[in-house]
Structure formats: structure tokens, C-alpha cells
């Protein structure tokens, strides 16, 4: 068997080399990149002391890749990632940060292709302002996007088409077939599965509604007809499961080179259908106001998500990290584009049906020192889930030390005392996160 595999590989190499010799490679460009990251988080949840090994998590990641052009019409991109515990589980941490792939366990070394795509623009044709991107890639749309906050980002096997024939308008069409997204852990490595929702659990963790993931379609229009006022519209069809709509607008008025004023509004709706027929619609909105004066930024925001008289069961959050929240009867992704999201009080809090959330945020970028951020989020919900009735303080410091990107985060969550008994949690929970990274 090994000899057969080697022979096939050798033939493939010879065939590729022969084809390459016949090609004109004078227009080929390549821009390699690489990176390394070390991620650690400590928490005093579930009765542990802060920095206890049992409640801490950590992992390391390296990535290498290349982007470039074959010629003026064709391009490509490739990225490979390797994640490893470095043996930290022996003395420092009790858990890892990301999920795990096929035929592996959570402590195994994970390796996978996070990106592998080609791009094509039909040069010198009527479609010259159109770009096709086909393959494994990162996406950034309001209800289906790549999350990059954790150790490794999630990816999509997708076909994306961009068109810019209309001035100040970018039209987007996409089909998403598979993804490796996972709630909280974000990436499941090489375990790519059909995109969509497979089931909704009831409050006891049993399957209440069974569904089959069959991929999703999306169309969008990103407009900028008025300077400083981008308006974006999106429609999604998660096949056999739900339709969804999203709209947002942000207005920025520049009063001086270092002074501006910002207003924003957003609205989203998820309408279950097919296998989820009978599940209530999720509708929500957010508003924000902010200003920038010199090195200081301040912002205040409010959001509200309707629960359709208690029938809604899908959070207004990232469908790429969609899974079921047992015990809450609600399904939704980890992160959300709602303005009110905190670090922990995010798609699993402010985006859940029935939630009303408030947020204030201030930041300062001090030259030669780093960036300081402080934000406070309050999330209220009539349901019985303590993690959706919580206030959260986040303090963040980001800088570069000895050429290494360094981010230090402190999070303190105060949980509604009336809900704590139902979850066995402390009414105050602390988290400390350290992220060290280097890009090459």
C-alpha cells in the first residue's frame, strides 16, 4: 500500500512539473506569510481559584501561507495551521482552546488547511469588474463570519462572487457548503461538516426539533452613495432551516483631522422554516453613538432582541459557530455583530431572544505605550439562564513587547444572584487572558 501511494504521488509530481514547464510563469507572484501564537486563560469559575490549573486553558498555534497571482486574471491563497498543547496540560492548564479534528482527540496535535482558494476575474470582458473566489476561505458577513478572537479562526468551503459594476456599490453572492466552526472553541481543525443547523434542544437537553444541515446561500449589497454613510443589506437562505435578513448603517461626521462623531443602527431577523417550522422568528436591533477626540474614543450602545412571545429559539448571532445550548432551549453562535457585545457576554448573551443590553466603551491609543480599552456591558433577559442576566467589565491592554504582539485582558462578570442557584455558579466570576503573537 505504501509503495502504491508513493508511486501515485511521484506520478502527480512529475505531471505537475511537466505542466509547469509548459506554462508561462513570468507573471506568477507569491507573498509568503507566517505566524505564531500562544494563548492562555485563567478563571475562577465553578468554585476554582483564579490561576488554578484545573480551570485554566492554553494552547499554541503556528501558521504558514502564501497568496499571489498566477497572472492578471487568476490568483490564489493557501494557509496551513498546526496547533499543539506544548505539554502545558501537565502543569499549567487543564484544558485546550480550540476543538479537534477528525480521528483525533483534544490533546492531539491538530493540523489542517485553513485556507485554500483560487480567485478569477474575467479580464477584458463584460465581467471584468467581477471576482470569483472559490475554495476554503475566511468570510465576514453579519450572520456568517470568521471569528478570530480565539486560538484559531474558523473557515468556510464556499463560492463567493463580488461585482463592482455600479459605482459605490459592491454586490455579493455566496454559497457556503461546509464549515469547521464550533461554539466557544471556534475551530474544529480539519473537521469540516455541512453548513447549517442540525437540531434544537429543549430545556432538558433533548432533541426538540431535528434538522439536517444542507448549506446556505447569501446575497448582499454594500453601498456608499453618501460620503461617510455606508449602508449594507444582506439576505440569507439557510437551506431547509431559515431565512434571514440584516441591515446596518453607520454615519461618521469628521469635524477635524483628529475629531469625529459617529452614529450607527442595525437590524436583523432570522425566520425559521422547513424543519424548524413552528419555531418563532428572532428580530433584533442595535443603536450606537460615539465620538473620537485625538487619541480617545468613547461609545454607548443599546440592543434588544425580541423573543416572539417566548417562541423564538435562534440567537441573532454567528451561524458559523451555531450549535444548541442545552438547558436554555436556544441555539446561536458565539459571537454577534450587535454593538452591545462584550468579550463573554456576546452571542450567547446580548443576541439571545428576550435580551436587552447596554454597553459603554472607552479607549485610548497612547503612542509608544499601547492601546487601553475599558467597556461595561449589562444584559437582561426574563429567561432563567444566569449567563444571559449578567453585567460584565472588560479591561484590555494591547502593545508590542520585544517585537511580540501582547494582549492582556481582565474580565469580571457579575451574575444575577437570583439565577446563580440554578447553575451552581459564583455570583462574581473573573477571567484573565494573555495572548502573545508574532507575524512574519
Amino acid at each position: 500500500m505504501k509503495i502504491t501511494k508513493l508511486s501515485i504521488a511521484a506520478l502527480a509530481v512529475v505531471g505537475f512539473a511537466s505542466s509547469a514547464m509548459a506554462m508561462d510563469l513570468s507573471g506568477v507572484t507569491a507573498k509568503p506569510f507566517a505566524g505564531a501564537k500562544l494563548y492562555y486563560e485563567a478563571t475562577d469559575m465553578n468554585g476554582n481559584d483564579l490561576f488554578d490549573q484545573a480551570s485554566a486553558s492554553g494552547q499554541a498555534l503556528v501558521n504558514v501561507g502564501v497568496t499571489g497571482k498566477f497572472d492578471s486574471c487568476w490568483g490564489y491563497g493557501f494557509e496551513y495551521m498546526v496547533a499543539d498543547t506544548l505539554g502545558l496540560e501537565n502543569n499549567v492548564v487543564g484544558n485546550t482552546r480550540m476543538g479537534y479534528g477528525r480521528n483525533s482527540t483534544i490533546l492531539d496535535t491538530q493540523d489542517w488547511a485553513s485556507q485554500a482558494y483560487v480567485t478569477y476575474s474575467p479580464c477584458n470582458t463584460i465581467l471584468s469588474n467581477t471576482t470569483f473566489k472559490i475554495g476554503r476561505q475566511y468570510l465576514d458577513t453579519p450572520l456568517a463570519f470568521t471569528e478570530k478572537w480565539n486560538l484559531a479562526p474558523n473557515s468556510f468551503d464556499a463560492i463567493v462572487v463580488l461585482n463592482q459594476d455600479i459605482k459605490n456599490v459592491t454586490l455579493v453572492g455566496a454559497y457556503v457548503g461546509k464549515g469547521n466552526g464550533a461554539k466557544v472553541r471556534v475551530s474544529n481543525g480539519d473537521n469540516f461538516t455541512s453548513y447549517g443547523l442540525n437540531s434544537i434542544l429543549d430545556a432538558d437537553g433533548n432533541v426538540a426539533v431535528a434538522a439536517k444541515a444542507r448549506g446556505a446561500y447569501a446575497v448582499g449589497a454594500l453601498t456608499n452613495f453618501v460620503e461617510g454613510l455606508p449602508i449594507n443589506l444582506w439576505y440569507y437562505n439557510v437551506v431547509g432551516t431559515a431565512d434571514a435578513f440584516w441591515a446596518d448603517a453607520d454615519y461618521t461626521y469628521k469635524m477635524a483631522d483628529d475629531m469625529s462623531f459617529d452614529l450607527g443602527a442595525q437590524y436583523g431577523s432570522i425566520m425559521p422554516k422547513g424543519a424548524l417550522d413552528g419555531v418563532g422568528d428572532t428580530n433584533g436591533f442595535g443603536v450606537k453613538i460615539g465620538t473620537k477626540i485625538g487619541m480617545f474614543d468613547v461609545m454607548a450602545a443599546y440592543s434588544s432582541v425580541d423573543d416572539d412571545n417566548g417562541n423564538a429559539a435562534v440567537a441573532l448571532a454567528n451561524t458559523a459557530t451555531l450549535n444548541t445550548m442545552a438547558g436554555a432551549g436556544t441555539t446561536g453562535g458565539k459571537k454577534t455583530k450587535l454593538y452591545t457585545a462584550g468579550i463573554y457576554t456576546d452571542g450567547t448573551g446580548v443576541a439571545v431572544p428576550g435580551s436587552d443590553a447596554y454597553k459603554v466603551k472607552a479607549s485610548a491609543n497612547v503612542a509608544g505605550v499601547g492601546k487601553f480599552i475599558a467597556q461595561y456591558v449589562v444584559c437582561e433577559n426574563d429567561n432563567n439562564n444566569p449567563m444571559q442576566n449578567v453585567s460584565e467589565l472588560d479591561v484590555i491592554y494591547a502593545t508590542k513587547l520585544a517585537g511580540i504582539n501582547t494582549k492582556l485582558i481582565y474580565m469580571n462578570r457579575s451574575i444575577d444572584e437570583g439565577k446563580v442557584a440554578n447553575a451552581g455558579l459564583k455570583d462574581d466570576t473573573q477571567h484573565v487572558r494573555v495572548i502573545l503573537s508574532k507575524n512574519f
Side-chain angles (χ1 to χ4, degrees):
M1 181 62 71
K2 291 183 178 180
I3 295 175
T4 302
K5 288 183 177 179
L6 181 61
S7 299
I8 293 173
L11 287 172
V13 171
V14 171
F16 177 79
S18 300
S19 298
M21 292 176 64
M23 293 172 58
D24 179 8
L25 301 179
S26 59
V28 176
T29 63
K31 184 179 180 180
F33 62 90
K37 181 189 294 185
L38 181 62
Y39 202 117
Y40 169 82
E41 181 168 332
T43 178
D44 62 359
M45 284 186 68
N46 301 318
N48 293 290
D49 291 330
L50 192 61
F51 300 112
D52 271 0
Q53 178 183 352
S55 58
S57 59
Q59 209 165 0
L61 177 82
V62 294
N63 66 296
V64 294
V66 61
T67 60
K69 301 281 288 185
F70 293 117
D71 54 32
S72 58
C73 300
W74 288 89
Y76 66 93
F78 181 79
E79 183 179 26
Y80 203 80
M81 292 188 168
V82 179
D84 192 80
T85 67
L86 301 181
L88 295 173
E89 70 274 13
N90 294 323
N91 301 289
V92 182
V93 302
N95 210 335
T96 58
R97 292 301 309 177
M98 66 170 287
Y100 54 95
R102 300 178 184 276
N103 303 315
S104 63
T105 67
I106 201 164
L107 293 178
D108 288 341
T109 299
Q110 312 292 327
D111 61 282
W112 73 101
S114 57
Q115 296 189 86
Y117 62 83
V118 294
T119 62
Y120 174 61
S121 297
C123 306
N124 303 316
T125 72
I126 194 173
L127 296 176
S128 59
N129 291 324
T130 301
T131 300
F132 299 84
K133 188 174 183 180
I134 304 170
R136 185 162 297 174
Q137 56 192 285
Y138 299 145
L139 296 180
D140 187 15
T141 79
L143 294 174
F145 55 91
T146 295
E147 298 182 13
K148 296 184 177 182
W149 62 273
N150 205 345
L151 181 79
N154 57 296
S155 307
F156 304 82
D157 290 346
I159 301 171
V160 178
V161 184
L162 303 175
N163 178 271
Q164 295 179 314
D165 279 326
I166 305 173
K167 185 178 180 180
N168 298 321
V169 176
T170 299
L171 299 176
V172 184
Y175 170 73
V176 180
K178 292 184 177 182
N180 69 339
K183 198 163 194 173
V184 180
R185 293 185 176 274
V186 179
S187 171
N188 274 334
D190 68 353
N191 189 11
F192 283 76
T193 57
S194 296
Y195 195 86
L197 178 66
N198 281 311
S199 63
I200 289 183
L201 304 188
D202 61 21
D204 297 319
N206 301 312
V207 175
V209 181
K212 181 179 180 181
R214 295 160 54 192
Y217 296 90
V219 292
L222 316 180
T223 73
N224 196 11
F225 293 116
V226 179
E227 184 177 356
L229 180 59
I231 299 175
N232 305 310
L233 304 171
W234 290 90
Y235 168 77
Y236 303 82
N237 174 14
V238 183
V239 179
T241 302
D243 294 315
F245 173 77
W246 179 278
D248 62 67
D250 283 281
Y251 175 68
T252 301
Y253 176 68
K254 193 171 184 180
M255 296 173 281
D257 289 341
D258 61 349
M259 186 181 300
S260 62
F261 177 75
D262 180 62
L263 288 172
Q266 55 191 185
Y267 172 81
S269 178
I270 297 177
M271 299 157 281
K273 65 179 183 181
L276 301 186
D277 191 30
V279 176
D281 294 350
T282 301
N283 297 288
F285 71 92
V287 291
K288 70 172 182 176
I289 183 172
T291 186
K292 174 179 172 61
I293 303 174
M295 66 179 182
F296 298 100
D297 281 278
V298 294
M299 183 268 280
Y302 169 75
S303 68
S304 180
V305 182
D306 182 60
D307 65 359
D308 196 8
N309 296 315
N311 296 314
V314 182
L316 199 61
N318 188 9
T319 58
T321 50
L322 188 75
N323 71 347
T324 305
M325 296 170 55
T330 303
T331 186
K334 173 58 179 167
K335 293 300 177 181
T336 177
K337 295 289 188 177
L338 289 174
Y339 302 131
T340 52
I343 294 178
Y344 263 93
T345 310
D346 46 17
T348 60
V350 305
V352 171
S355 289
D356 291 294
Y358 312 81
K359 175 180 175 180
V360 290
K361 179 181 179 180
S363 65
N365 202 342
V366 183
V369 178
K371 187 171 186 178
F372 299 86
I373 302 172
Q375 62 184 23
Y376 185 71
V377 177
V378 176
C379 180
E380 300 173 346
N381 199 309
D382 289 335
N383 66 28
N384 205 37
N385 191 314
M387 309 317 294
Q388 291 151 22
N389 291 269
V390 62
S391 60
E392 175 179 326
L393 172 66
D394 303 323
V395 180
I396 306 166
Y397 173 60
T399 189
K400 184 170 286 190
L401 299 175
I404 298 175
N405 301 313
T406 303
K407 183 176 286 188
L408 308 175
I409 305 174
Y410 172 78
M411 297 152 278
N412 184 290
R413 294 188 292 169
S414 296
I415 302 168
D416 186 334
E417 293 183 4
K419 313 289 183 177
V420 172
N422 296 320
L425 300 170
K426 297 166 58 178
D427 58 355
D428 289 299
T429 300
Q430 300 179 90
H431 302 257
V432 174
R433 184 178 293 177
V434 180
I435 306 172
L436 307 176
S437 63
K438 175 70 175 180
N439 296 320
F440 302 96

